[in-house]
Amino acid sequence: MGDESERISINLTKDVNHDEAIMAQEREIEREIAETIPLIGPKCELALVQREYAEDDDVYQQKVNDLKNKYTYVRKMRPDGNCFFRAFTFAYLESLLTDKQEYKRFLEIASKTKDDLVALGFPQFTIEDFHDTFMDVLGKIENGMTLDDLLQILNDQGSSDYIVVYMRLITSGYLQKEEAFFSNFIEGERTVKEFCHQEVEPMYKESDHIHVIALTLALGVGVRVQYMDRGGEGGQVNTHDFPEDKTPRIHLLYRPGHYDILY
């Protein structure tokens, strides 16, 4: 019995050590990504995406060529689980730099979001800082912020993450406000609120269709997503517009688990 329990103890120690080694390796990979890949990259030609796939990978090469018929540039996001929210926010704010009318419309919506969230039961002291940071950036746009300024703000981990958190809260708020509609799309025995607490509000959680639908409806911003994966026929990317009745204002590239901005 003594030998047996010793063997079990040794195996358990091995398992624990193995798990710790895996976690340490994952942390190291995350650190390397953080140090080498900016949150928001420079605008690059689409050939950059093409070079990511082997020349004899016919499926993806055909799909990149299809993309090149519609777009010229791509701006890559850090693959940290926040890429949809960061890509959406940057691309949209970038568009506001040269559109005073849309800026005015959005400023009105954005300024009301805090009160809307409080009315839904979000604690005011929790959301105040995130809302203030976001409104501060919008104020800078009105005062003639440049594209370089915007890049600097959204590449600063602190301010960028605050803005991403606020976008997640807006998305969560809209899902909960329209609970009757969205409850039909949530898998598993979860309420909309539980889904939001688990999949929408936490940082580094990847986004799905439901996040895109909710955020675009909440803010009234049209987005076209080009889906590029191994599925489908004819070597073409699949195009989806959110919401369906709105002219796309920004364009995103989706590859399994990741979003970038298209121009």
Side-chain angles (χ1 to χ4, degrees):
M1 188 70 184
D3 288 350
E4 183 62 24
S5 59
E6 200 173 311
R7 254 202 310 277
I8 291 169
S9 173
I10 288 167
N11 285 338
L12 284 173
T13 305
K14 276 182 184 168
D15 287 346
V16 169
N17 288 343
H18 183 61
D19 288 348
E20 283 177 356
I22 288 171
M23 284 168 70
Q25 192 177 8
E26 283 175 357
R27 282 195 297 271
E28 182 60 23
I29 290 167
E30 284 166 11
R31 189 184 63 76
E32 282 176 18
I33 286 172
E35 284 178 2
T36 56
I37 301 173
L39 292 171
I40 297 166
K43 206 193 245 191
C44 300
E45 294 198 354
L46 265 174
L48 178 74
V49 174
Q50 196 148 26
R51 287 197 295 271
E52 290 174 16
Y53 302 104
E55 283 180 29
D56 58 359
D57 188 337
D58 290 341
V59 174
Y60 273 118
Q61 289 297 338
Q62 282 176 23
K63 292 194 173 185
V64 177
N65 283 330
D66 181 44
L67 264 188
K68 284 166 85 175
N69 291 328
K70 306 166 190 172
Y71 301 96
T72 312
Y73 301 103
V74 65
R75 193 188 289 278
K76 299 187 74 180
M77 304 291 113
R78 183 186 292 175
D80 62 358
N82 296 314
C83 52
F84 163 67
F85 287 101
R86 222 172 311 258
F88 172 90
T89 307
F90 182 84
Y92 181 59
L93 294 181
E94 184 181 16
S95 80
L96 295 185
L97 295 175
T98 52
D99 190 337
K100 286 194 169 124
Q101 197 175 337
E102 175 68 6
Y103 172 81
K104 201 173 163 188
R105 179 198 75 85
F106 184 66
L107 187 65
E108 206 173 306
I109 288 173
S111 54
K112 288 194 308 199
T113 51
K114 182 176 78 173
D115 292 340
D116 292 345
L117 288 169
V118 171
L120 284 163
F122 287 80
Q124 184 162 343
F125 66 90
T126 305
I127 60 175
E128 206 135 41
D129 283 351
F130 301 116
H131 179 257
D132 288 350
T133 300
F134 188 58
M135 296 308 293
D136 185 46
V137 174
L138 287 184
K140 285 176 177 161
I141 290 175
E142 193 166 19
N143 294 328
M145 177 163 70
T146 66
L147 178 57
D148 283 346
D149 295 336
L150 182 63
L151 264 171
Q152 197 173 349
I153 289 169
L154 282 170
N155 262 319
D156 173 79
Q157 189 87 50
S159 54
S160 193
D161 283 356
Y162 260 51
I163 291 166
V164 167
V165 167
Y166 198 62
M167 288 290 136
R168 286 182 176 276
L169 291 172
I170 290 171
T171 305
S172 175
Y174 191 84
L175 286 165
Q176 292 180 57
K177 185 161 77 88
E178 303 296 334
E179 181 175 10
F181 173 73
F182 285 108
S183 59
N184 302 308
F185 302 98
I186 289 169
E187 294 171 357
E189 300 296 314
R190 290 190 281 187
T191 64
V192 170
K193 189 170 251 190
E194 284 168 346
F195 174 80
C196 288
H197 289 339
Q198 294 162 12
E199 307 294 340
V200 182
E201 293 164 20
M203 288 290 275
Y204 313 113
K205 277 283 187 178
E206 287 184 8
S207 302
D208 213 335
H209 263 71
I210 197 166
H211 300 70
V212 184
I213 294 166
L215 185 60
T216 54
L217 283 170
L219 300 180
V221 178
V223 176
R224 176 164 291 171
V225 181
Q226 301 288 356
Y227 285 83
M228 195 165 98
D229 55 22
R230 292 209 173 273
E233 293 173 12
Q236 293 183 319
V237 290
N238 291 318
T239 302
H240 291 277
D241 290 349
F242 303 93
E244 286 176 5
D245 60 346
K246 214 156 183 65
T247 305
R249 185 175 185 86
I250 61 177
H251 298 253
L252 303 178
L253 170 63
Y254 175 82
R255 291 178 281 175
H258 188 66
Y259 288 86
D260 292 311
I261 302 170
L262 289 166
Y263 298 88

